[in-house]
Amino acid sequence: MEWLDNPVFTTWDSNTSLWSNTLITLYMTLGTMLFTAVIGIPLGLLLYETARSSSPAARWVNRIVGFVVNVGRSFPFIILIIALIPVTRFVVGRVTGPNAAMFALAISAIPFLARLIEINLREISAGKIEAVSMMGASRWQIIRQVLLPEALPGIIGSLTTTAIAVIGYTAMAGTVGGKGLGDLAIRNGYQSYDNVVMVATVAVLVVIVIAVQAIGSALASAVDHRAATV
Amino acid sequence: MITLEDLRKVFPAPGGGDPVVALDGIDLHLDPGRIHGIVGRSGAGKSTLIRCLTGLEKPSSGKVQVDGTDVAALDGAALRAARRNIGMVFQHANLLDSRTAAQNIGHPLEIAGVPRAEREKRVAELVEIVGLSGREHNYPAQLSGGQVQRVGIARGLAAEPKVLLCDEPTSALDGATTAQILRLLQDLRERLGITVVIITHEMAVVREVCDTVTLLQDGRIAQTGDLVDVAADPHGPLSAELIPLPPAPTGLDAVIVNCDYGDSTRIRTSEDLSRLAERHGAEATLVAGTIETIGGRQVGRVQIALRNDSGRPISPEGLAAYLRELETAGVVAQEVSA
């Protein structure tokens, strides 16, 4: 059991430790997801609402937002981090560390989530919306009482998918000194020819992804009343 | 209760071609407290008519009055308020899957801002009225097709509308369930005095529950009136659809004639047809027939085989004379080509 003496297991220093970098990855993922959800869900709703509106102003908003979202999604993440450095300095106050990385992660995840939310909302049948419009509901009541609750299982699924994508992107956060499991695997594993570090970090990432997916699926089916469960 | 005046709806053609005239001058008056059927093939304008009634679509011209308000002239909050006067029932019910039966039923009240306690009381009443007791806390996915439609009807009634507008309410249901839902609609009309409009392509639904029937064809009204009168009018397009005949028998060595005797005073039964045939030296045998009692009146369409004394088909002259006489008696008779 010599391999267990590796500093990856025996230290708590974020330059070498598996444990502290696991916490950093979880912290970056959770923090990124918080911002991504708060901005991405309303943005998805905006894309959905403006696409179906007959007003020319709304169609322009849809075109502009759609364009920004597409540009955001086409940037390779590593390039996005570097391109965002001036903005990150302005918003976060510094360009290195986990918080700086989270900013870039959120900028990249928000358009991704927004498109998924738009798809979730489109799956709601027009008949349901028409039925509630016929009750004299306002647009806002339809959003609150039809769109969001009916799409909730799908929205949870989209958040899960986005969170897993974010976990993958955190590997590149090391470029700006963000640290985390991916960074540990590259620097102390791959570049130092240390297979123990490689395997250990990947194993922890696999466990985290499986856990996130399991929690997401469980939450989604808890709020999904479409399947007959008598 | 509902008055349509010269209602027209024209849609611009998507490719820039000729515009599509969906409704072409509809004049219609529907009395309160009755069940009105609106029938027509797909593309006849039924859906556009509903959408105009509910203000989901603005008419190109004409008036749409529901309980004294011109729906076509309203917008925004006024239109939303007017919509609460119309309860709507859909083919697939369109319930929200995220709400239980009771929450779906109470939804219109929630939107109207009715306080919770009052809402719950009203929902309990409605659950009782539509016969869903014990199932009110189930989600739609846990209910049968008929139960889902009962929730849909209860929801349509929740805000105590004057009109219940039903768009193909039974088209997705099996026969026995259809009969139950139609009985429920009839029962509601009697208990609540509500005006019911049923849009359907099923003639059986019209025969079963409607007091009046309107046939739409190419965006125009082809026939309208009380069901009894329409069914008994052999010249109108609806009688043959309301009282369909079984297929004509084949291989008979005789002339086959379809007779629709509507409300003719001289010809009331198939015996009357036989007696008349004898006067022309022919024997009439009943080969197929449908006799329906609609609104307490017997209305029938029969098919008869005509032969002469020696068992051969009736002569062309005899047939012509017979058909002439039937016509003067007010019967619509037509030879079935072999």
Side-chain angles (χ1 to χ4, degrees), chain A residues 87-133:
Chain A
V87 191
T88 310
R89 178 176 292 123
F90 180 73
V91 176
V92 188
R94 49 182 301 185
V95 292
T96 57
N99 288 340
M102 266 161 56
F103 178 71
L105 283 167
I107 293 296
S108 158
I110 286 167
F112 182 72
L113 179 66
R115 280 291 182 210
L116 292 180
I117 297 293
E118 187 192 7
I119 295 167
N120 294 143
L121 295 171
R122 278 194 189 168
E123 272 167 16
I124 299 168
S125 80
K128 286 179 184 172
I129 295 164
E130 199 169 298
V132 180
S133 309

Side-chain angles (χ1 to χ4, degrees), chain A residues 125-139 141 145-146 149-150 223 225-230, chain B residues 51 54 56 80-81 83-84 86 88 90 93-99 104 107-108 110-112 139 141-142 155:
Chain A
S125 80
K128 286 179 184 172
I129 295 164
E130 199 169 298
V132 180
S133 309
M134 273 304 304
M135 297 172 196
S138 64
R139 204 61 229 173
Q141 282 172 318
Q145 299 177 12
V146 185
E150 288 291 300
V223 298
H225 301 292
R226 283 171 297 186
T229 44
V230 184
Chain B
R51 296 178 69 83
T54 56
L56 286 172
R80 289 201 290 275
R83 278 180 180 164
R84 294 184 190 142
I86 306 174
M88 180 105 195
F90 301 87
N94 294 346
L95 302 182
L96 299 189
D97 294 313
S98 54
R99 287 172 171 249
N104 268 296
H107 201 177
E110 211 177 307
I111 285 168
Y139 286 94
Q142 300 165 324
R155 181 177 71 173

Side-chain angles (χ1 to χ4, degrees), chain A:
Chain A
M1 300 300 249
E2 204 181 300
W3 57 273
L4 268 177
D5 291 334
N6 194 304
V8 81
F9 301 117
T10 55
T11 62
W12 272 92
D13 180 350
S14 67
N15 282 318
T16 48
S17 168
L18 179 68
W19 318 118
S20 60
N21 279 298
T22 300
L23 291 181
I24 290 171
T25 293
L26 289 176
Y27 167 77
M28 281 196 290
T29 307
L30 282 175
T32 302
M33 284 311 294
L34 195 70
F35 289 113
T36 304
V38 166
I39 301 171
I41 294 174
L43 200 60
L45 194 58
L46 182 71
L47 281 172
Y48 171 83
E49 283 287 324
T50 51
R52 342 174 29 254
S53 174
S54 52
S55 118
R59 304 216 43 99
W60 272 108
V61 169
N62 183 265
R63 259 174 242 161
I64 293 165
V65 175
F67 178 74
V68 171
V69 162
N70 286 342
V71 169
R73 290 186 56 196
S74 43
F75 263 85
F77 183 61
I78 193 83
I79 306 290
L80 187 73
I81 292 182
I82 295 160
L84 277 175
I85 283 175
V87 191
T88 310
R89 178 176 292 123
F90 180 73
V91 176
V92 188
R94 49 182 301 185
V95 292
T96 57
N99 288 340
M102 266 161 56
F103 178 71
L105 283 167
I107 293 296
S108 158
I110 286 167
F112 182 72
L113 179 66
R115 280 291 182 210
L116 292 180
I117 297 293
E118 187 192 7
I119 295 167
N120 294 143
L121 295 171
R122 278 194 189 168
E123 272 167 16
I124 299 168
S125 80
K128 286 179 184 172
I129 295 164
E130 199 169 298
V132 180
S133 309
M134 273 304 304
M135 297 172 196
S138 64
R139 204 61 229 173
W140 179 238
Q141 282 172 318
I142 287 174
I143 292 171
R144 286 276 312 278
Q145 299 177 12
V146 185
L147 297 181
L148 294 179
E150 288 291 300
L152 189 58
I155 290 174
I156 292 175
S158 297
L159 285 170
T160 310
T161 306
T162 308
I164 288 170
V166 166
I167 293 169
Y169 282 168
T170 59
M172 281 171 265
T175 323
V176 290
K179 302 228 164 88
L181 289 171
D183 187 38
L184 188 69
I186 294 171
R187 281 189 298 108
N188 299 16
Y190 178 72
Q191 289 170 356
S192 314
Y193 306 102
D194 188 340
N195 286 335
V196 173
V197 174
M198 284 277 278
V199 172
T201 48
V202 171
V204 173
L205 281 170
V206 168
V207 170
I208 292 175
V209 167
I210 290 175
V212 168
Q213 184 62 59
I215 293 167
S217 301
L219 281 176
S221 62
V223 298
D224 191 351
H225 301 292
R226 283 171 297 186
T229 44
V230 184

Side-chain angles (χ1 to χ4, degrees), chain B residues 35-283:
Chain B
I35 302 183
H36 305 276
I38 296 179
V39 295
R41 289 183 206 299
S42 43
K46 288 177 297 182
S47 308
T48 312
L49 186 64
I50 307 180
R51 296 178 69 83
C52 286
L53 276 174
T54 56
L56 286 172
E57 203 82 70
K58 286 260 169 270
S60 307
S61 66
K63 266 192 187 162
V64 182
Q65 286 208 325
V66 179
D67 193 30
T69 14
D70 190 353
V71 180
L74 300 177
D75 254 319
L79 177 61
R80 289 201 290 275
R83 278 180 180 164
R84 294 184 190 142
N85 255 333
I86 306 174
M88 180 105 195
V89 176
F90 301 87
Q91 179 173 359
H92 298 289
N94 294 346
L95 302 182
L96 299 189
D97 294 313
S98 54
R99 287 172 171 249
T100 62
Q103 288 167 339
N104 268 296
I105 295 172
H107 201 177
L109 300 173
E110 211 177 307
I111 285 168
V114 176
R116 176 181 290 266
E118 203 179 313
R119 212 159 70 207
E120 280 169 2
K121 192 166 149 266
R122 175 88 182 126
V123 168
E125 269 170 37
L126 287 161
V127 165
E128 177 74 38
I129 290 177
V130 301
L132 273 172
S133 302
R135 307 293 272 162
E136 61 267 43
H137 298 303
N138 285 115
Y139 286 94
Q142 300 165 324
L143 299 173
S144 71
Q147 287 169 334
V148 163
Q149 197 53 292
R150 281 169 195 271
V151 176
I153 291 171
R155 181 177 71 173
L157 293 169
E160 300 184 54
K162 303 265 173 56
V163 177
L164 190 65
L165 194 54
C166 309
D167 184 8
E168 302 275 4
T170 59
S171 302
L173 304 175
D174 62 57
T177 315
T178 295
Q180 285 173 15
I181 293 293
L182 293 180
R183 258 200 308 280
L184 173 64
L185 288 175
Q186 232 164 0
D187 183 46
L188 292 173
R189 191 266 310 264
E190 259 133 55
R191 283 167 71 170
L192 310 174
I194 195 167
T195 310
V196 181
V197 179
I198 302 178
I199 280 132
T200 184
H201 69 275
E202 295 174 306
M203 284 297 164
V205 169
V206 175
R207 219 158 40 221
E208 204 73 28
V209 292
C210 290
D211 301 313
T212 79
V213 56
T214 301
L215 172 69
L216 284 187
Q217 235 165 36
D218 303 325
R220 291 201 186 91
I221 291 179
Q223 196 179 10
T224 181
D226 278 13
L227 180 68
V228 193
D229 301 331
V230 169
D233 173 14
H235 302 280
L238 270 171
S239 70
E241 302 216 35
L242 284 167
I243 315 161
L245 266 183
T250 50
L252 282 185
D253 192 16
V255 173
I256 309 286
V257 173
N258 276 347
C259 302
D260 186 338
Y261 48 81
D263 56 357
S264 158
T265 45
R266 280 175 55 200
I267 309 289
R268 299 301 315 138
T269 62
S270 58
E271 277 86 56
D272 296 336
L273 288 170
S274 310
R275 249 194 311 280
L276 204 62
E278 277 164 28
R279 301 227 304 261
H280 296 277
E283 194 189 323

